Structures are given as C-alpha cells and as structure tokens.
Amino acid sequence: MRGHIPSTELSIQTEGLTKRFGQHAAVDRIDLAVPTGAIFGFLGPNGSGKTTTIRLLLGLASATSGGIRVLGQEMPTHLRSVLPRVGALVEGPAFYPFLSGAANLHRLDTADRNAPSSTRRNRVAHSLHQVGLAHAAGKKVRAYSLGMKQRLGIANALLVPRELLILDEPTNGLDPQGTREVRSLVRSLAAEGTTVFVSSHLLAEVEQICTHAAIMSAGSLVAQGTLEHLRQSGQERVRVLTPDVAAARQVLARLGLVPETAGTGRATGTSAVLRAGGTPRRSDGAGVAPAVVAPIGGVAARSVPPEVIVSDLVSAGVRVRGFAVEGVSLEERFVALTGEGFDVAE
Amino acid sequence: MSLVPVDGSAGELRASSGWALMASELSVLFRRRRTWAMLLALAAVPVLIAVAVRLSPSEVPPGRGPPFLDRVTQNGLFVAVTALVVSVPLFLPLTIGVVAGDTISGEAGLGTLRYLLVAPAGRVRLLIVKYVGTAAFCLAATLSVVTSGLVIGAALFPVGPVTLLSGDTIEAGESVVRSFLVAGYIMVSLLGLSAIGLFISTLTDVPVGAMAATIVLSVVSQVLNALPQLEWLHPWLFSHYWLGFADLLRQPVSWDSFGDNALLQAGYLAVFGSLAYGRFLTRDILS
C-alpha cells in the first residue's frame, strides 16, 4: 500500500491470493500481474477457479488470505473508489426479466453513485448502440436471447468510461458474428487505453485478441506472461518417421535429445507440409512407419538445430521417411498445463 | 453535475447523494406486475365485504363477524376500518412477506445482486434502500385497503356522523381522518415484520423460501400471542399490538398504544436490521 511501487503499471495484482470453501481451495495462492493497457486472457478449464478469482477481485467474496490491488489500490478496502472505474461482466449476464433492456441499464447505473444522472439516458443509449442492441432497447429482457443478454451485460460494463474491464466469458452464447463483434469491441476499447481482463475457456479467442495470458488449473496459476512468452516456454519437438526406430533413438540420444515416445506416424497423406515426404504408405510394403518424437530447444533439452539432426540420422543409415519440427500451439501448451480434461474445442 | 474524470489517477471520486438508487428501487418495485396484483387484491377486501353486506337480506347482528361489521349498514365509513381489521392477521403480512422476503434474495436469485454490488451500490446503502422500499410498500398496502374501503363504503351505504368507541360523535370528514390514522398505525405495525423479512432475505438466494419463512413467522407470532400460557412473552411479540388501534377511535385520541407499538417495532427494526447488516456485510456473494 505505502511506498512508491509503480502502482500504475499493474492494473491487477494479487499476492498469494487464496479462497477456501471448507477444505477445498478454489483459488490457491495465485500471484496475478495484469499490466496496464494489456488485453489479458485468463484461461482455464471450467471449475479451475477463474470466476472465483474474479469475485475476489471485485470484492464480491472475501479472500481467505493474500492481497489484492486493483488499479493501484487495495481491495476490498478501497472498493468504493476502485469499482466505479471498473466495468464487469461476472459469471454471465443477469437482469430483471420484467424490465426492458434500457430500463435494466438505467437501474444498474443508478447503483453507481459516481454515474451522473444528467447523462444517464445518453450513456445508456450509447452503450446499447455500442453492442448493437439499440433496436431492442425497449424490449423486455425476458424476450432476449442468450446472445442478446450477453451483449446487454457487456453494455452494462460500458456505461461509463472505465480504466479496467473485467469480462468473464464475454462471448458465451454469442454466434460467430457476435463473437467477432465482441473481439473488435475489446480491441477498440484497449486501443483507447482500457485494460481488459477477459476470462475464457476458448483458446482461439484468447490467441486472437490477447497480448498477455494466465492459465489456471485446479485453483492454481500454472503459467502467466505475454502470449509470445507462453508459446516459447513450450518445447518444440522433432518427429521422425522411420522404420528404424532403435537406430533413430540412438542417434537422437547421442545428440543429447530425449526421445520420449514412439508412436505411429499418422497416415495423413500430403496434408502436413513438413511431413509430406514421410507419407507412411509406401509401395515397398513397409506399411505405416513408426515415429520417434523428441523435444528440442526449450529448457529441458539441449538446443540442437534440426538440420544437424537430419544429417546425423541419414549418415547413421536411418531411413528417414518423414521429419518435422513441431511448434507448440497455445492449445497444446494448455493441455500440457491443465491436463487432458480441458474442453478446448467447442 | 459533471462527469467524473477518468484519468488513471487514484484521486477521490466525488460521490453524489445516491438518491437515484432509492428512486430506482421504488420505480422497479411499483412497476412490477406482482406488486400491483397484491395491491389490487388488498383493495378487493373491502369491496368484497361491502358487497356481501349490501346484498345480504338480513341485518348483521351486533357482535357477529369481524368488529365494526354490524355498523357498516348505518355508516359506510366503517367499511374501511372493518377491512383493515380483516386484513391484518393474514392478507397484509402475506403481501409484506412477499416483498420483504424478496428484497435481497430476489436480487440474488436473479443474479442482479452481484451487478448492483460491483456498480458499486454499497452493501449498507443497498440494505437501507431495500428496507425503505419495503416500508413504502407497507404504506401503499394499508392505503390501498383504507382508500378502497372509504370509496366503496361511501358508494354503497349512507355516510354520516360516526359514533366513536368513547360514545362521542364525530363528523364524516373527521372519521375519514381517523380511518387514515388507523391505516398509519397498521403500517407502523408491519415495520417489524419487514425488518425480519429483510434479515431472512439475506440468508438465502431462494426468494420463495425467504417469503414463506417471513409469512410463517407472522403466523407463529400471532398463534403465540393467542396462548394465555405464554402471557409473559406477549408484549415482546411483534404482532402483539397489531389490532390495538382502538385507542385511535376514542375522543380524545389516546396515543399510548401507538407509542408502545412504534417502540416495539423500532426494537424489532434495530435487532433484525443489525442482524441483516452483520450477515450481509460479511457474506460472499456467490449467486
């Protein structure tokens, strides 16, 4: 709190943030650091503690231990001065079904003491327009579709200019068109200087818009950083398709690599460029060629240039039918970090 | 009023008075169809009584039926007071239970509670706004009964000077004032129950549960108040003075029971208001 930590550099900062429900730790000692101006993707499988973390950040629930700073001020101590500067969509939109979309925004805006009444009507109309709901402003929310409610929820977060937006699964229930609109809205808000903290279990979404990301798994923060950093920290691998598995493993081991699995090369035909030469079905009757996979680069293994591997393999008489350097997609990174149960595809 | 500067500084934000939320609460409450249905149902009570008495071929014998019923045929202004007496034990607590039980749990059930709190509405401010909203409904409910009673009574029966319980006679105009006094007494009577409902409402995210519990408590209190074995307890029951407005129908008006009642209700408000405060301020909003 005291001291002159450059508090403006981080919009959200947590230290050892923990929330227990009985014995179960829903959020377990996480240290978030969301730089100001970033579009920060908060990723994790369902039930990994994302929404609980957001509730803690917004002062809806109290932390069991640990500290939170939002916009440079301690939460929930300074809740009254922090929250008016934060727009939020928490665990899906929620509205009064018997009121119209505009009346709902009007109602929620009155709860904010810092939101001026004189401009309320204009601000409501403007934020409805921003999310493409101007035509449905007078319609009862009861008659809204899920996607429309989601848009209205985002409109609520935009009622006044915010320094920080916390959006929990903002594209949930939106059609592809709506998803694109939300993405471009988030980008344009970020371009104006708003820090956006967006939770999602959709990787593609995060990969497309975020500058930074953090990954939650079972209540813990397992990775955090810029998107580039996250991709790089995953290891690249080489995949060698060859009938001479044992010899290939020897060569790789001699190069200091650790051949980890020996699976079967997929009969993918011509689709994979690097693997194209290794089309496993050969007329010589060799059938499907086994594959040897070894990580290169990264932290664990010594870095070996791929061309050296190939030349060594060939000079050792290994019949190389396919060779590929496989980069790590964010998706693989997530699966590696959070386990296979992750619902990456939707 | 000027726009709050958003310049990234952690400067103090100027807070406006915050009446907007109160206005919004009242507008949402009284724009709900449910609220109007309840007020109309309450307004129907005196109509039902008046029409039944009007259509009945025989005179109502004194001492039968609700108090004051026998006087209705002679003076229509008694319809209002009769209807209030009939509504106090069940109809009014029922509607208050619905409104008070819904205050916090209703918002939690809809999920709007989290949005109000991150706005930020402020938890204490929200509790106060919700309680005032309930009190406004208490007023609307009793006014609904008494107004409808006066109108239908004047429409169906002769209106004239009224003989009070003390034997004095007052003019029709004065008796209208007395009817509203009785309504005010009953409105005050319901404030304790409203505080109980508010507290129960902070305990759950299921509004129906909070409503039912509040209504059940009002019945329990009345049952206990009817058991002579528990006489020591009676002065502490929030329903103890509910029908004690006879003093307002004497000349001169005796305010003793009004004062006792107000004090008792204030006590309930203090106790259950504090409980609601204690519970709501520390509660994790997980709905």
Side-chain angles (χ1 to χ4, degrees):
Chain A
M1 190 58 228
R2 63 227 103 243
H4 294 286
I5 317 158
S7 53
T8 45
E9 281 186 12
L10 291 178
S11 283
I12 300 174
Q13 187 180 14
T14 70
E15 274 164 25
L17 185 61
T18 302
K19 177 66 179 177
R20 291 183 179 283
F21 295 110
Q23 282 302 303
H24 170 69
V27 174
D28 196 5
R29 286 164 296 166
I30 70 170
D31 301 314
L32 268 177
V34 178
T36 297
I39 305 181
F40 192 98
F42 193 43
L43 288 154
N46 298 329
S48 58
K50 298 191 300 290
T51 299
T52 305
T53 306
I54 289 176
R55 286 182 189 285
L56 295 173
L57 294 178
L58 293 170
L60 287 173
S62 52
T64 309
S65 65
I68 305 169
R69 290 167 68 90
V70 176
L71 296 174
Q73 286 182 289
E74 224 154 278
M75 285 286 281
T77 330
H78 295 94
L79 187 141
R80 273 185 63 177
S81 61
V82 170
L83 288 186
R85 298 148 68 199
V86 179
L89 179 69
V90 197
E91 202 177 14
F95 293 103
Y96 306 90
F98 49 88
L99 294 181
S100 72
N104 264 290
L105 293 191
H106 207 274
R107 155 78 166 166
L108 291 174
D109 193 56
T110 59
D112 178 1
R113 251 180 290 205
N114 301 296
S117 313
S118 50
T119 56
R120 187 164 290 133
R121 183 184 294 270
N122 288 335
R123 287 183 294 109
V124 166
H126 177 68
S127 67
L128 281 170
H129 177 75
Q130 266 185 300
V131 298
L133 275 182
H135 64 284
K139 207 161 144 184
K140 293 259 193 293
V141 167
R142 189 183 286 120
Y144 275 31
S145 67
L146 175 60
M148 289 165 80
K149 285 182 193 158
Q150 192 75 21
R151 285 162 188 255
L152 192 61
I154 296 170
N156 175 49
L158 301 177
L159 277 171
V160 289
R162 313 281 194 184
E163 290 166 56
L164 171 66
L165 281 177
I166 296 182
L167 304 175
D168 193 6
E169 308 270 359
T171 56
N172 215 3
L174 290 182
D175 49 25
Q177 180 62 29
T179 309
R180 282 176 52 140
E181 286 170 25
V182 168
R183 273 204 299 268
S184 76
L185 186 65
V186 165
R187 279 203 197 98
S188 68
L189 290 165
E192 288 163 25
T194 307
T195 308
V196 185
F197 181 85
V198 50
S199 91
S200 183
H201 61 275
L202 299 179
L203 305 169
E205 189 172 290
V206 168
E207 262 188 302
Q208 284 187 50
I209 61 170
C210 292
T211 56
H212 294 68
I215 302 166
M216 290 282 284
S217 176
S220 301
L221 201 60
V222 289
Q224 174 171 234
T226 65
L227 227 51
E228 277 312 301
H229 169 78
L230 284 177
R231 286 211 192 89
Q232 279 165 9
S233 62
Q235 292 177 340
E236 292 193 313
R237 295 168 305 192
V238 291
R239 178 182 295 269
V240 181
L241 297 186
T242 174
D244 309 318
V245 173
R249 291 177 72 94
Q250 267 182 7
V251 173
L252 292 173
R254 212 181 315 132
L255 285 167
L257 302 179
V258 189
E260 45 186 30
T261 51
T264 314
R266 283 182 297 153
T268 48
T270 55
S271 65
V273 179
L274 282 170
R275 237 181 270 156
T279 309
R281 282 181 210 287
R282 283 290 171 104
S283 48
D284 63 9
V288 178
V292 178
V293 178
I296 57 167
V299 252
R302 247 175 53 202
S303 190
V304 184
E307 60 273 19
V308 173
I309 302 174
V310 179
S311 74
D312 276 23
L313 283 168
V314 171
S315 57
V318 175
R319 288 172 290 169
V320 178
R321 289 182 173 173
F323 181 85
V325 179
E326 297 177 337
V328 176
S329 70
L330 208 49
E331 179 171 330
E332 281 173 299
R333 190 79 185 104
F334 293 136
V335 175
L337 286 167
T338 63
E340 287 288 344
F342 197 4
D343 49 346
V344 281
E346 204 191 68
Chain B
M1 283 212 243
S2 62
L3 258 168
V4 171
V6 180
D7 55 4
S9 71
E12 280 303 303
L13 294 161
R14 233 177 330 129
S16 65
S17 59
W19 284 105
L21 182 62
M22 184 75 79
S24 159
E25 174 65 25
L26 293 176
S27 122
V28 168
L29 177 63
F30 286 104
R31 248 194 286 178
R32 276 190 98 150
R33 213 174 297 168
R34 185 179 75 191
T35 309
W36 282 104
M38 291 193 296
L39 291 178
L40 284 177
L42 287 170
V45 171
V47 175
L48 212 66
I49 293 170
V51 171
V53 171
R54 186 85 173 90
L55 295 183
S56 128
S58 57
E59 285 277 299
V60 181
R64 292 274 307 277
F68 310 111
L69 189 64
D70 54 317
R71 309 244 202 128
V72 164
T73 45
Q74 300 138 39
N75 194 331
L77 295 177
F78 274 104
V79 173
V81 177
T82 310
L84 281 173
V85 172
V86 168
S87 306
V88 162
L90 187 62
F91 293 130
L92 282 170
L94 203 72
T95 55
I96 305 307
V98 168
V99 173
D102 194 48
T103 44
I104 300 295
S105 60
E107 299 279 359
L110 286 175
T112 42
L113 182 58
R114 60 176 183 266
Y115 285 108
L116 288 173
L117 292 182
V118 302
R123 298 193 183 202
V124 179
R125 177 163 163 249
L126 190 60
L127 272 183
I128 293 172
V129 162
K130 284 292 180 184
Y131 186 75
V132 172
T134 310
F137 180 82
C138 292
L139 184 64
T142 47
L143 284 182
S144 169
V145 176
V146 78
T147 313
S148 153
L150 289 171
V151 171
I152 193 77
L156 296 187
F157 302 101
V159 171
V162 173
T163 310
L164 290 174
L165 298 177
S166 56
D168 300 81
T169 303
I170 56 171
E171 286 307 308
E174 163 91 27
S175 78
V176 170
V177 174
R178 296 291 178 108
S179 301
F180 280 108
L181 266 185
V182 172
Y185 179 96
I186 289 170
M187 184 257 173
V188 171
S189 298
L190 296 168
L191 292 179
L193 180 63
S194 302
I196 294 172
L198 181 72
F199 168 61
I200 295 175
S201 194
T202 61
L203 299 178
T204 172
D205 292 346
V206 187
V208 178
M211 295 175 193
T214 310
I215 294 161
V216 164
L217 274 181
S218 85
V219 173
V220 167
S221 171
Q222 292 180 79
V223 168
L224 294 180
N225 200 38
L227 295 177
Q229 289 83 354
L230 296 175
E231 208 164 357
W232 54 271
L233 182 67
H234 292 174
W236 301 99
L237 294 169
F238 62 87
S239 64
H240 183 61
Y241 297 106
W242 275 8
L243 289 170
F245 51 76
D247 284 355
L248 299 174
L249 301 178
R250 298 182 206 283
Q251 191 78 308
V253 175
S254 159
W255 293 96
D256 289 354
S257 60
F258 197 103
D260 290 346
N261 185 29
L263 197 64
L264 181 71
Q265 302 302 330
Y268 269 91
L269 171 56
V271 171
F272 284 91
S274 310
L275 286 174
Y277 171 87
R279 162 74 183 159
F280 191 53
L281 247 68
T282 54
R283 176 180 159 191
D284 285 350
I285 308 300
L286 300 174
S287 61

